């Protein structure tokens, strides 16, 4: 069911781009920059050399200016990842940048910024807040703690002229509370970057903020090469409220032993097309920063689920902060060898798969059959009737035909593939298969009788696999009467293109069958990710709460669907915004998966957003119906 999620995310769009490897497009390159620089450099280079930026920076320093004029002097307090990114962008854009950071390593960070921005950069380090009096805008970029931010803003209020605008990078704290505490509530505006590499800045506007101050910060963002999105004062704004819950949930799954470290990151990169997995991304953000943001969100929203996961708290206490400390979930600069949860089962000698069967005639069944036959495995494609099986075979012929026309397959290879794929309706012919993959409707009432039949007719060494995306594998195993022979193989749609396969052994699955499943994935060019038999497995367990949260955010009228999509794509590096992705997956499919997740935990926060149900009831289920969150012509 979630296969459509993988296809949309991996493709970076709806059209034929799915054939690109996930993470290799622009988003992938953005992530590589973040990884190479420790999350500081980002897209600052985009501002450098931009004619409109340099021309716009010719205003009079220290005057406050009228809306639309760009200041030439910018102040920044704090040289963390985001503060450093802003300093670099501003220096490359031709600003005089006054920088203050009292931490011991600030001089080293500043030296690096001076080297990176020479010769265009004009950086002025200082330990005296009075130096900020000449700046039109001063950005407070200290850690997400109310006391620290309040102290900085109050100090700036004392030394800066009344016209100076103070911008805070806070995302989880109350902007109104910080503005009021500063002494100049009308001149305090939020300026939040979800990541140092963000291309979108959320400009947070309080109910007491001056329009001119908001416009000045928006103009500053544009001058730094960022697209400003104006949002209200809400815990987490858009990006943090969606991103950090997802990241914390990923740490919790890892901490609970649901999935290994490397596997959880691979699942989200290959399954959703994200440039970085959640644990990789946390190493860029920093465990301490993540804990600060999550703690502030949990306090402000009174949501215990947002309390930092145990492992994240302990890492912050131990100084395992990620790239900036040299060690976090991974070690830096060298990533350690090994595959975490991937190592164990492969020590067991797997049985070879010489002949396979696929039961089902839908898109997923045809795609899996194509993958198996493409990789030299004779495959039976079994449907409820000969006609339906023939239709599925013709779908494979059409798919491979497109590959031939695009030069990705020869006609001889296509002919050989189709010769290895035999359609039919006789289940008994599966008795001689080494592997049988069930790819029928996502309904236990349909799957269990089929497994009972397969358990009775297949040979004693046959591996039986279910492609369920959210249902318990153990139930299919028990229905077969031979649970040791049953495993979950969750392919993502389109199966010929998507690299990820979630491998889900139940509590009863035999070790040699687990090894055989993993070996099969590698043989057919897929990346196996092993996880426990639990609702949502890995990708759906992380993806759908994030999507559901985005719908709740929209139905609260805090931000439009377009704005939320823009923030998550440009601010967090997601290849598709949540509403674009929901429309591609299908709102009916998404609602069904979210209902399964909610049934498992019964937590109010996991209940499907009402707006999702309303759209499904109205028949607006996404692109396949011509309308979902958007209308498609």
């Amino acid at each position: 069911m979630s296969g459509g999620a993988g296809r949309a995310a991996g493709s970076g769009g709806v059209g034929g781009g799915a054939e690109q490897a996930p993470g290799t497009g622009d988003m992938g390159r953005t992530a590589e920059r973040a990884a190479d620089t420790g999350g500081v450099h980002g897209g600052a280079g985009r501002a450098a050399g931009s004619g409109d930026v340099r021309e716009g920076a010719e205003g009079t320093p220290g005057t406050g200016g009228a809306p639309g004029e760009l200041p030439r002097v910018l102040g920044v307090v704090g040289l963390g990842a985001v503060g450093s990114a802003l300093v670099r962008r501003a220096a490359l854009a031709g600003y005089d940048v006054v920088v203050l950071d009292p931490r011991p390593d600030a001089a080293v960070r500043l030296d690096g910024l001076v080297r990176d921005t020479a010769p265009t950069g004009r950086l002025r380090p200082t330990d005296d807040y009075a130096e900020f009096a000449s700046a039109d805008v001063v950005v407070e970029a200290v850690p997400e703690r109310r006391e620290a931010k309040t102290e900085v803003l109050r100090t700036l209020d004392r030394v800066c002229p009344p016209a100076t605008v103070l911008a805070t990078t806070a995302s989880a704290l109350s902007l109104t509370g910080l503005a009021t505490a500063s002494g100049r509530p009308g001149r305090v505006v939020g300026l939040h970057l979800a990541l140092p590499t963000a291309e979108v800045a959320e400009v947070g506007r309080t109910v007491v903020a001056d329009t001119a101050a908001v416009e000045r910060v928006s103009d500053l963002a544009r001058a730094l090469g960022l697209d400003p999105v104006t949002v209200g004062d809400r815990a987490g704004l858009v990006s943090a409220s969606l991103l950090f819950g997802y990241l914390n949930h990923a740490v919790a799954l890892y901490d609970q032993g649901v999935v290994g470290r490397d596997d959880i990151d691979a699942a989200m990169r290959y399954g959703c097309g994200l440039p970085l997995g959640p644990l990789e991304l946390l190493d860029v953000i920093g465990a301490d920063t993540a804990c600060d943001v999550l703690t502030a969100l949990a306090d402000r929203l009174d949501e215990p689920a947002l309390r930092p996961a145990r492992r994240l708290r302990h890492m912050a206490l131990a100084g395992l902060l990620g790239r900036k400390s040299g060690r976090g979930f991974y070690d830096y600069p060298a990533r350690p060898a090994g595959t975490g949860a991937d190592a164990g089962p492969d020590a067991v000698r797997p049985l070879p798969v010489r002949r396979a069967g696929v039961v089902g005639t839908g898109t997923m069944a045809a795609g899996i059959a194509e993958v198996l036959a493409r990789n030299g495995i004779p495959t039976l494609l079994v449907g409820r009737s000969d006609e339906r099986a023939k239709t599925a075979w013709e779908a494979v012929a059409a798919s491979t035909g497109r590959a031939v026309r695009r030069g990705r397959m020869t006609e001889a290879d296509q002919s050989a593939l189709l010769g290895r794929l035999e359609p039919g309706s006789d289940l008994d012919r599966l008795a001689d298969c080494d592997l049988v993959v069930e790819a029928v409707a996502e309904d236990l009432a349909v799957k269990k009788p089929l497994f009972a039949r397969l358990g009775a007719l297949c040979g004693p060494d046959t591996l039986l696999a279910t492609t369920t995306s959210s249902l318990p594998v153990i139930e299919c195993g028990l229905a077969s009467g031979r649970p040791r022979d049953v495993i979950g193989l969750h392919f993502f749609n389109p199966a010929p293109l998507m690299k990820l396969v979630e491998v889900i052994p139940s509590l009863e699955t035999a070790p040699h069958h687990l090894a055989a499943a993993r070996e099969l994935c590698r043989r057919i060019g897929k990346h196996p990710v092993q996880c426990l038999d639990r609702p949502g497995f890995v990708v759906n367990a992380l993806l759908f709460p994030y999507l559901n949260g985005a719908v709740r955010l929209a139905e609260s009228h805090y931000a439009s669907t377009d704005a939320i999509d823009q923030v998550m794509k440009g601010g967090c590096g997601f290849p598709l915004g949540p509403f674009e992705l929901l429309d591609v997956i299908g709102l009916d499919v998404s609602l069904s998966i979210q209902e399964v997740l909610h049934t498992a935990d019964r937590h109010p926060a996991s209940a499907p957003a009402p707006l999702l149900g309303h759209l499904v009831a109205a028949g607006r289920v996404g692109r396949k119906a011509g309308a979902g969150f958007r209308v498609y012509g």
Side-chain angles (χ1 to χ4, degrees), residues 154-169:
R154 284 175 174 169
T155 303
L156 291 171
D157 176 57
R158 289 195 296 270
V159 302
C160 293
T164 301
V165 175
L166 307 182
T168 173
T169 59

mmCIF file with all atom_site columns, all heavy atoms in Angstrom, residues 154-169:
data_model
loop_
_atom_site.group_PDB
_atom_site.id
_atom_site.type_symbol
_atom_site.label_atom_id
_atom_site.label_alt_id
_atom_site.label_comp_id
_atom_site.label_asym_id
_atom_site.label_entity_id
_atom_site.label_seq_id
_atom_site.pdbx_PDB_ins_code
_atom_site.Cartn_x
_atom_site.Cartn_y
_atom_site.Cartn_z
_atom_site.occupancy
_atom_site.B_iso_or_equiv
_atom_site.pdbx_formal_charge
_atom_site.auth_seq_id
_atom_site.auth_comp_id
_atom_site.auth_asym_id
_atom_site.auth_atom_id
_atom_site.pdbx_PDB_model_num
ATOM 1   N N   . ARG A 1 154 ? 17.373 40.972 25.280 1.00 0.00 ? 154 ARG A N   1
ATOM 2   C CA  . ARG A 1 154 ? 17.333 42.124 26.192 1.00 0.00 ? 154 ARG A CA  1
ATOM 3   C C   . ARG A 1 154 ? 18.603 42.960 26.077 1.00 0.00 ? 154 ARG A C   1
ATOM 4   O O   . ARG A 1 154 ? 18.549 44.202 26.106 1.00 0.00 ? 154 ARG A O   1
ATOM 5   C CB  . ARG A 1 154 ? 17.141 41.637 27.625 1.00 0.00 ? 154 ARG A CB  1
ATOM 6   C CG  . ARG A 1 154 ? 15.718 41.190 27.938 1.00 0.00 ? 154 ARG A CG  1
ATOM 7   C CD  . ARG A 1 154 ? 15.619 40.616 29.327 1.00 0.00 ? 154 ARG A CD  1
ATOM 8   N NE  . ARG A 1 154 ? 14.227 40.320 29.677 1.00 0.00 ? 154 ARG A NE  1
ATOM 9   C CZ  . ARG A 1 154 ? 13.857 39.615 30.747 1.00 0.00 ? 154 ARG A CZ  1
ATOM 10  N NH1 . ARG A 1 154 ? 14.786 39.141 31.577 1.00 0.00 ? 154 ARG A NH1 1
ATOM 11  N NH2 . ARG A 1 154 ? 12.582 39.394 30.986 1.00 0.00 ? 154 ARG A NH2 1
ATOM 12  N N   . THR A 1 155 ? 19.732 42.290 25.954 1.00 0.00 ? 155 THR A N   1
ATOM 13  C CA  . THR A 1 155 ? 20.993 43.025 25.811 1.00 0.00 ? 155 THR A CA  1
ATOM 14  C C   . THR A 1 155 ? 21.002 43.818 24.506 1.00 0.00 ? 155 THR A C   1
ATOM 15  O O   . THR A 1 155 ? 21.412 44.978 24.469 1.00 0.00 ? 155 THR A O   1
ATOM 16  C CB  . THR A 1 155 ? 22.181 42.054 25.850 1.00 0.00 ? 155 THR A CB  1
ATOM 17  O OG1 . THR A 1 155 ? 22.139 41.306 27.066 1.00 0.00 ? 155 THR A OG1 1
ATOM 18  C CG2 . THR A 1 155 ? 23.493 42.803 25.764 1.00 0.00 ? 155 THR A CG2 1
ATOM 19  N N   . LEU A 1 156 ? 20.544 43.198 23.431 1.00 0.00 ? 156 LEU A N   1
ATOM 20  C CA  . LEU A 1 156 ? 20.488 43.899 22.152 1.00 0.00 ? 156 LEU A CA  1
ATOM 21  C C   . LEU A 1 156 ? 19.527 45.076 22.205 1.00 0.00 ? 156 LEU A C   1
ATOM 22  O O   . LEU A 1 156 ? 19.787 46.133 21.603 1.00 0.00 ? 156 LEU A O   1
ATOM 23  C CB  . LEU A 1 156 ? 20.059 42.927 21.049 1.00 0.00 ? 156 LEU A CB  1
ATOM 24  C CG  . LEU A 1 156 ? 21.078 41.841 20.678 1.00 0.00 ? 156 LEU A CG  1
ATOM 25  C CD1 . LEU A 1 156 ? 20.451 40.819 19.733 1.00 0.00 ? 156 LEU A CD1 1
ATOM 26  C CD2 . LEU A 1 156 ? 22.320 42.463 20.037 1.00 0.00 ? 156 LEU A CD2 1
ATOM 27  N N   . ASP A 1 157 ? 18.435 44.942 22.916 1.00 0.00 ? 157 ASP A N   1
ATOM 28  C CA  . ASP A 1 157 ? 17.481 46.038 23.039 1.00 0.00 ? 157 ASP A CA  1
ATOM 29  C C   . ASP A 1 157 ? 18.122 47.252 23.711 1.00 0.00 ? 157 ASP A C   1
ATOM 30  O O   . ASP A 1 157 ? 17.834 48.393 23.346 1.00 0.00 ? 157 ASP A O   1
ATOM 31  C CB  . ASP A 1 157 ? 16.271 45.584 23.854 1.00 0.00 ? 157 ASP A CB  1
ATOM 32  C CG  . ASP A 1 157 ? 15.282 46.705 24.103 1.00 0.00 ? 157 ASP A CG  1
ATOM 33  O OD1 . ASP A 1 157 ? 14.802 47.294 23.108 1.00 0.00 ? 157 ASP A OD1 1
ATOM 34  O OD2 . ASP A 1 157 ? 15.006 47.007 25.282 1.00 0.00 ? 157 ASP A OD2 1
ATOM 35  N N   . ARG A 1 158 ? 19.019 46.984 24.655 1.00 0.00 ? 158 ARG A N   1
ATOM 36  C CA  . ARG A 1 158 ? 19.676 48.092 25.383 1.00 0.00 ? 158 ARG A CA  1
ATOM 37  C C   . ARG A 1 158 ? 20.672 48.835 24.505 1.00 0.00 ? 158 ARG A C   1
ATOM 38  O O   . ARG A 1 158 ? 20.836 50.049 24.647 1.00 0.00 ? 158 ARG A O   1
ATOM 39  C CB  . ARG A 1 158 ? 20.378 47.564 26.626 1.00 0.00 ? 158 ARG A CB  1
ATOM 40  C CG  . ARG A 1 158 ? 19.425 47.128 27.736 1.00 0.00 ? 158 ARG A CG  1
ATOM 41  C CD  . ARG A 1 158 ? 20.149 46.971 29.052 1.00 0.00 ? 158 ARG A CD  1
ATOM 42  N NE  . ARG A 1 158 ? 21.147 45.903 29.016 1.00 0.00 ? 158 ARG A NE  1
ATOM 43  C CZ  . ARG A 1 158 ? 20.902 44.639 29.334 1.00 0.00 ? 158 ARG A CZ  1
ATOM 44  N NH1 . ARG A 1 158 ? 19.685 44.296 29.723 1.00 0.00 ? 158 ARG A NH1 1
ATOM 45  N NH2 . ARG A 1 158 ? 21.858 43.730 29.268 1.00 0.00 ? 158 ARG A NH2 1
ATOM 46  N N   . VAL A 1 159 ? 21.360 48.116 23.594 1.00 0.00 ? 159 VAL A N   1
ATOM 47  C CA  . VAL A 1 159 ? 22.461 48.749 22.864 1.00 0.00 ? 159 VAL A CA  1
ATOM 48  C C   . VAL A 1 159 ? 22.077 49.198 21.458 1.00 0.00 ? 159 VAL A C   1
ATOM 49  O O   . VAL A 1 159 ? 22.784 50.023 20.881 1.00 0.00 ? 159 VAL A O   1
ATOM 50  C CB  . VAL A 1 159 ? 23.679 47.803 22.781 1.00 0.00 ? 159 VAL A CB  1
ATOM 51  C CG1 . VAL A 1 159 ? 24.136 47.402 24.176 1.00 0.00 ? 159 VAL A CG1 1
ATOM 52  C CG2 . VAL A 1 159 ? 23.374 46.574 21.947 1.00 0.00 ? 159 VAL A CG2 1
ATOM 53  N N   . CYS A 1 160 ? 20.986 48.684 20.906 1.00 0.00 ? 160 CYS A N   1
ATOM 54  C CA  . CYS A 1 160 ? 20.643 48.995 19.520 1.00 0.00 ? 160 CYS A CA  1
ATOM 55  C C   . CYS A 1 160 ? 19.643 50.140 19.443 1.00 0.00 ? 160 CYS A C   1
ATOM 56  O O   . CYS A 1 160 ? 18.781 50.294 20.331 1.00 0.00 ? 160 CYS A O   1
ATOM 57  C CB  . CYS A 1 160 ? 20.053 47.772 18.835 1.00 0.00 ? 160 CYS A CB  1
ATOM 58  S SG  . CYS A 1 160 ? 21.245 46.424 18.602 1.00 0.00 ? 160 CYS A SG  1
ATOM 59  N N   . PRO A 1 161 ? 19.693 50.941 18.374 1.00 0.00 ? 161 PRO A N   1
ATOM 60  C CA  . PRO A 1 161 ? 18.704 52.006 18.183 1.00 0.00 ? 161 PRO A CA  1
ATOM 61  C C   . PRO A 1 161 ? 17.297 51.428 18.071 1.00 0.00 ? 161 PRO A C   1
ATOM 62  O O   . PRO A 1 161 ? 17.124 50.259 17.718 1.00 0.00 ? 161 PRO A O   1
ATOM 63  C CB  . PRO A 1 161 ? 19.144 52.653 16.866 1.00 0.00 ? 161 PRO A CB  1
ATOM 64  C CG  . PRO A 1 161 ? 20.557 52.257 16.671 1.00 0.00 ? 161 PRO A CG  1
ATOM 65  C CD  . PRO A 1 161 ? 20.712 50.921 17.294 1.00 0.00 ? 161 PRO A CD  1
ATOM 66  N N   . PRO A 1 162 ? 16.284 52.238 18.349 1.00 0.00 ? 162 PRO A N   1
ATOM 67  C CA  . PRO A 1 162 ? 14.897 51.737 18.303 1.00 0.00 ? 162 PRO A CA  1
ATOM 68  C C   . PRO A 1 162 ? 14.502 51.151 16.958 1.00 0.00 ? 162 PRO A C   1
ATOM 69  O O   . PRO A 1 162 ? 13.652 50.258 16.893 1.00 0.00 ? 162 PRO A O   1
ATOM 70  C CB  . PRO A 1 162 ? 14.063 52.982 18.626 1.00 0.00 ? 162 PRO A CB  1
ATOM 71  C CG  . PRO A 1 162 ? 14.988 53.869 19.390 1.00 0.00 ? 162 PRO A CG  1
ATOM 72  C CD  . PRO A 1 162 ? 16.349 53.634 18.824 1.00 0.00 ? 162 PRO A CD  1
ATOM 73  N N   . ALA A 1 163 ? 15.107 51.628 15.864 1.00 0.00 ? 163 ALA A N   1
ATOM 74  C CA  . ALA A 1 163 ? 14.708 51.143 14.536 1.00 0.00 ? 163 ALA A CA  1
ATOM 75  C C   . ALA A 1 163 ? 15.286 49.763 14.218 1.00 0.00 ? 163 ALA A C   1
ATOM 76  O O   . ALA A 1 163 ? 14.824 49.101 13.280 1.00 0.00 ? 163 ALA A O   1
ATOM 77  C CB  . ALA A 1 163 ? 15.148 52.139 13.459 1.00 0.00 ? 163 ALA A CB  1
ATOM 78  N N   . THR A 1 164 ? 16.274 49.321 14.956 1.00 0.00 ? 164 THR A N   1
ATOM 79  C CA  . THR A 1 164 ? 16.905 48.032 14.652 1.00 0.00 ? 164 THR A CA  1
ATOM 80  C C   . THR A 1 164 ? 15.910 46.896 14.846 1.00 0.00 ? 164 THR A C   1
ATOM 81  O O   . THR A 1 164 ? 15.203 46.830 15.847 1.00 0.00 ? 164 THR A O   1
ATOM 82  C CB  . THR A 1 164 ? 18.123 47.800 15.560 1.00 0.00 ? 164 THR A CB  1
ATOM 83  O OG1 . THR A 1 164 ? 19.064 48.858 15.375 1.00 0.00 ? 164 THR A OG1 1
ATOM 84  C CG2 . THR A 1 164 ? 18.794 46.463 15.229 1.00 0.00 ? 164 THR A CG2 1
ATOM 85  N N   . VAL A 1 165 ? 15.882 46.008 13.898 1.00 0.00 ? 165 VAL A N   1
ATOM 86  C CA  . VAL A 1 165 ? 15.026 44.830 13.979 1.00 0.00 ? 165 VAL A CA  1
ATOM 87  C C   . VAL A 1 165 ? 15.833 43.678 14.561 1.00 0.00 ? 165 VAL A C   1
ATOM 88  O O   . VAL A 1 165 ? 16.964 43.421 14.137 1.00 0.00 ? 165 VAL A O   1
ATOM 89  C CB  . VAL A 1 165 ? 14.479 44.446 12.591 1.00 0.00 ? 165 VAL A CB  1
ATOM 90  C CG1 . VAL A 1 165 ? 13.688 43.136 12.667 1.00 0.00 ? 165 VAL A CG1 1
ATOM 91  C CG2 . VAL A 1 165 ? 13.613 45.564 12.033 1.00 0.00 ? 165 VAL A CG2 1
ATOM 92  N N   . LEU A 1 166 ? 15.260 42.987 15.521 1.00 0.00 ? 166 LEU A N   1
ATOM 93  C CA  . LEU A 1 166 ? 15.891 41.818 16.119 1.00 0.00 ? 166 LEU A CA  1
ATOM 94  C C   . LEU A 1 166 ? 15.191 40.570 15.585 1.00 0.00 ? 166 LEU A C   1
ATOM 95  O O   . LEU A 1 166 ? 13.963 40.458 15.673 1.00 0.00 ? 166 LEU A O   1
ATOM 96  C CB  . LEU A 1 166 ? 15.794 41.861 17.645 1.00 0.00 ? 166 LEU A CB  1
ATOM 97  C CG  . LEU A 1 166 ? 16.311 43.136 18.323 1.00 0.00 ? 166 LEU A CG  1
ATOM 98  C CD1 . LEU A 1 166 ? 16.195 43.014 19.840 1.00 0.00 ? 166 LEU A CD1 1
ATOM 99  C CD2 . LEU A 1 166 ? 17.745 43.433 17.903 1.00 0.00 ? 166 LEU A CD2 1
ATOM 100 N N   . ALA A 1 167 ? 15.968 39.660 15.027 1.00 0.00 ? 167 ALA A N   1
ATOM 101 C CA  . ALA A 1 167 ? 15.423 38.408 14.494 1.00 0.00 ? 167 ALA A CA  1
ATOM 102 C C   . ALA A 1 167 ? 15.892 37.256 15.378 1.00 0.00 ? 167 ALA A C   1
ATOM 103 O O   . ALA A 1 167 ? 17.056 37.204 15.774 1.00 0.00 ? 167 ALA A O   1
ATOM 104 C CB  . ALA A 1 167 ? 15.880 38.190 13.057 1.00 0.00 ? 167 ALA A CB  1
ATOM 105 N N   . THR A 1 168 ? 14.988 36.351 15.689 1.00 0.00 ? 168 THR A N   1
ATOM 106 C CA  . THR A 1 168 ? 15.333 35.188 16.503 1.00 0.00 ? 168 THR A CA  1
ATOM 107 C C   . THR A 1 168 ? 15.160 33.914 15.683 1.00 0.00 ? 168 THR A C   1
ATOM 108 O O   . THR A 1 168 ? 14.206 33.783 14.913 1.00 0.00 ? 168 THR A O   1
ATOM 109 C CB  . THR A 1 168 ? 14.472 35.108 17.772 1.00 0.00 ? 168 THR A CB  1
ATOM 110 O OG1 . THR A 1 168 ? 14.737 33.861 18.451 1.00 0.00 ? 168 THR A OG1 1
ATOM 111 C CG2 . THR A 1 168 ? 12.987 35.175 17.464 1.00 0.00 ? 168 THR A CG2 1
ATOM 112 N N   . THR A 1 169 ? 16.099 32.986 15.847 1.00 0.00 ? 169 THR A N   1
ATOM 113 C CA  . THR A 1 169 ? 16.024 31.718 15.125 1.00 0.00 ? 169 THR A CA  1
ATOM 114 C C   . THR A 1 169 ? 15.182 30.690 15.866 1.00 0.00 ? 169 THR A C   1
ATOM 115 O O   . THR A 1 169 ? 15.150 29.520 15.473 1.00 0.00 ? 169 THR A O   1
ATOM 116 C CB  . THR A 1 169 ? 17.433 31.142 14.903 1.00 0.00 ? 169 THR A CB  1
ATOM 117 O OG1 . THR A 1 169 ? 18.066 30.937 16.180 1.00 0.00 ? 169 THR A OG1 1
ATOM 118 C CG2 . THR A 1 169 ? 18.278 32.078 14.056 1.00 0.00 ? 169 THR A CG2 1
#
